[in-house]
Amino acid sequence: MIVCKFGGSSVADAVQIRKVKQIVESDSQRQIVIVSAPGKRSKDDEKVTDMLYACNALVQQGQSCRELFKKVSLRYTSIISDLGMDVKPFLPVLDEVRQMIDAGYGSEYAASRGEYLAARMVATFFGWTFLDADPQIVINHDGSVNDETWNNLKKSLKSDVKYVVPGFYGCDSEGKVKTFSRGGSDITGAILSRAAQADIYENWTDVSGVFAVDPRLIPEAKVIKTMTYREVRELAGVGAGVFHEEAIAPVISSNIPINVKNTNAPSDVGTMIVPSREIDGNPLAGISAKTGYSRLSLRKLMLFKKSGIRHALLTMLHIFGIRPSFSLFGVDSIVWFFETSQASESVLNAMCLRLKSEFGLDSIGVDHGYAVVGIVGAGVMQETDLIAKSTTALANDSIKLHFFNYGSSDTSILLGVDASESSHAIKSLYKALF
Ligand code: ASP
């Protein structure tokens, strides 16, 4: 059987939802459908999820979301009537959602209603069974999937019933609605795929697969035909969109292949994501970059003389909310790169002062504006000239390299560059390596 997840653009309006129905009905194996909330219909349009977060923000400021919620209601009622369905049964449901947001049920509850309403609407249109993700999917504090989920779904799912399930949310261990991180409907799709032991997990979006590089930067970029779970994780980890990096975890233990496909071009084969692949002739999968990194550099003569110093420093960083992504160690120095969004300037200043006095550092400083470019591929360690080619390409284009991470993963090479140079670096590397 096949589990299909349709993203926000696939359910953005009635025309898209009709395409979804046609796709689903064209193969009787497609038995479970997961939907996102309606996304943008055009570049300047608003996502329902963003509107719902805005509704909750108003309530947090002591105002009612009644007016703003009208836009959300209109989005659904116009889709419902364009689909030729009766709007009346949905009106009390919409009203109840609005009341709950106004009653202060919080941002995760508000945001989750985008998917909840979409799934109810699509289930009615298909004539399928609506299966709510809450309380089936139990989400831990850190956003990981609680093992209770598997028992819950095992009990609920019947092999002869077709289901529509809302993506993006479940509940916490106290039964309160909890969302995954943004784009998390991919995770719900992976969870249902594992629970139903699907033969394949189809992830339907508005592009014909995962591109080797962002086509906005390189218009002739190709879709990757086959890639491994690990390649997807590494590429998503350095900012590539399309597939949520945490959505691999649920399917990995059952080896369920994922097929990323295009709702607007269903006959395109898309990208197959599988446990492993042949690398001959195709060592690399893609290149991507993520901006928004800062650098913390500290120095002290004989820094490492004292045992446990790294651990002690890291503990202090954690106290200030910093979780470094990359580390470099010199003879008497340490450099950590971390995501800039983790702390404000005043927190960073306080942290530097504390570290300096507590550890007697000779110097400490933070600077911002870095990007990490990832060259991802199952064959990166086999290609002996890959480093030479990459660094030569950057040098020829006068792009300064701030760090180089090779060998910590057998599937990627990471290069630190100035954030302002990240697109330039991607283009330069793509030209040299692909
Ligand atoms: N609707 C949610 C978001 O906008 C989740 C999703 O689309 O997967 O992030």
Side-chain angles (χ1 to χ4, degrees):
M1 64 85 75
I2 302 171
V3 168
C4 316
K5 177 255 162 176
F6 289 87
S9 57
S10 305
V11 293
D13 58 24
V15 174
Q16 290 301 92
I17 295 176
R18 284 187 202 281
K19 287 185 197 169
V20 169
K21 189 164 188 259
Q22 209 168 25
I23 289 167
V24 168
E25 286 177 349
S26 69
D27 188 338
S28 61
Q29 294 234 68
R30 296 189 171 115
Q31 287 180 13
I32 299 179
V33 163
I34 290 90
V35 289
S36 285
K40 293 185 180 189
R41 292 158 293 187
S42 63
K43 224 171 122 245
D44 304 318
D45 197 15
E46 260 182 298
K47 287 182 173 190
V48 164
T49 309
D50 292 331
M51 295 197 261
L52 289 164
Y53 277 123
C55 284
N56 178 66
L58 274 182
V59 175
Q60 297 309 314
Q61 290 159 22
Q63 297 173 44
S64 166
C65 70
R66 195 181 280 273
E67 273 310 305
L68 189 55
F69 193 80
K70 281 187 186 154
K71 278 210 296 190
V72 176
S73 293
L74 186 64
R75 202 60 204 277
Y76 287 97
T77 50
S78 54
I79 298 176
I80 292 165
S81 55
D82 289 349
L83 287 173
M85 299 192 298
D86 186 4
V87 171
K88 255 192 253 122
F90 280 90
L91 297 178
V93 185
L94 285 162
D95 200 44
E96 188 193 325
V97 168
R98 203 270 308 151
Q99 283 178 32
M100 301 281 271
I101 299 174
D102 263 341
Y105 270 68
S107 79
E108 300 196 53
Y109 171 82
S112 74
R113 296 305 91 180
E115 272 70 10
Y116 170 78
L117 294 165
R120 288 199 54 170
M121 175 175 76
V122 171
T124 312
F125 183 55
F126 285 11
W128 287 20
T129 302
F130 167 77
L131 177 69
D132 201 352
D134 162 25
Q136 306 285 336
I137 296 177
V138 185
I139 306 173
N140 295 322
H141 271 303
D142 62 1
S144 58
V145 183
N146 187 298
D147 280 339
E148 267 181 57
T149 304
W150 311 119
N151 279 335
N152 295 346
L153 286 170
K154 204 171 164 185
K155 276 191 231 141
S156 302
L157 293 172
K158 308 271 175 288
S159 60
D160 53 348
V161 178
K162 297 191 171 194
Y163 297 98
V164 180
V165 183
F168 188 40
Y169 71 94
C171 62
D172 65 15
S173 50
E174 274 97 54
K176 206 169 144 230
V177 170
K178 184 164 171 60
T179 52
F180 290 113
S181 53
R182 293 298 302 263
S185 300
D186 285 347
I187 308 175
T188 313
I191 292 170
L192 267 301
S193 299
R194 172 170 157 182
Q197 288 298 309
D199 298 301
I200 187 157
Y201 168 24
E202 289 179 346
N203 192 281
W204 292 84
T205 170
D206 56 0
V207 285
S208 290
V210 181
F211 283 89
V213 66
D214 187 338
R216 286 168 301 187
L217 294 177
I218 313 267
E220 65 275 16
K222 290 205 176 73
V223 164
I224 306 167
K225 285 207 170 73
T226 308
M227 64 193 301
T228 66
Y229 293 143
R230 183 168 286 172
E231 285 174 327
V232 170
R233 270 198 53 74
E234 300 253 5
L235 208 53
V238 282
V242 180
F243 198 71
H244 197 295
E245 61 175 319
E246 289 167 38
I248 295 295
V251 290
I252 225 164
S253 60
S254 325
N255 283 345
I256 300 167
I258 304 162
N259 192 188
V260 179
K261 288 190 59 95
N262 189 349
T263 302
N264 305 316
S267 52
D268 288 359
V269 286
T271 299
M272 282 304 293
I273 304 169
V274 292
S276 63
R277 68 174 178 94
E278 296 288 330
I279 55 172
D280 21 314
N282 218 353
L284 300 183
I287 300 183
S288 183
K290 194 168 166 189
T291 55
Y293 285 96
S294 299
R295 175 174 68 176
L296 170 68
S297 326
L298 43 94
R299 176 176 292 278
K300 177 184 161 70
L301 201 63
M302 317 277 262
L303 178 65
F304 296 110
K305 259 283 190 217
K306 206 167 146 198
S307 66
I309 188 80
R310 286 176 218 201
H311 179 75
L313 285 163
L314 273 174
T315 305
M316 186 65 80
L317 259 56
H318 277 249
I319 291 172
F320 286 90
I322 302 293
R323 282 162 281 112
S325 309
F326 310 102
S327 340
L328 306 171
F329 300 109
V331 183
D332 289 326
S333 59
I334 302 181
V335 170
W336 275 304
F337 284 87
F338 61 94
E339 289 178 22
T340 311
S341 59
Q342 290 176 350
S344 66
E345 210 57 41
S346 56
V347 168
L348 291 174
N349 285 339
M351 180 183 77
C352 288
L353 282 174
R354 177 94 183 262
L355 284 166
K356 188 156 192 203
S357 65
E358 198 135 317
F359 294 91
L361 302 175
D362 298 334
S363 68
I364 180 163
V366 175
D367 61 335
H368 308 296
Y370 294 95
V372 174
V373 183
I375 301 167
V376 177
V380 288
M381 299 302 276
Q382 272 96 313
E383 293 291 285
T384 41
D385 59 351
L386 199 58
I387 295 177
K389 277 191 192 162
S390 317
T391 51
T392 306
L394 294 183
N396 287 342
D397 283 341
S398 310
I399 299 169
K400 192 169 172 215
L401 197 54
H402 292 285
F403 80 84
F404 198 86
N405 183 331
Y406 174 73
S408 64
S409 150
D410 58 6
T411 312
S412 71
I413 298 174
L414 302 174
L415 307 117
V417 299
D418 287 324
S420 57
E421 289 283 24
S422 73
S423 301
H424 189 191
I426 290 179
K427 288 183 195 162
S428 162
L429 291 166
Y430 189 79
K431 213 165 70 200
L433 303 174
F434 281 79

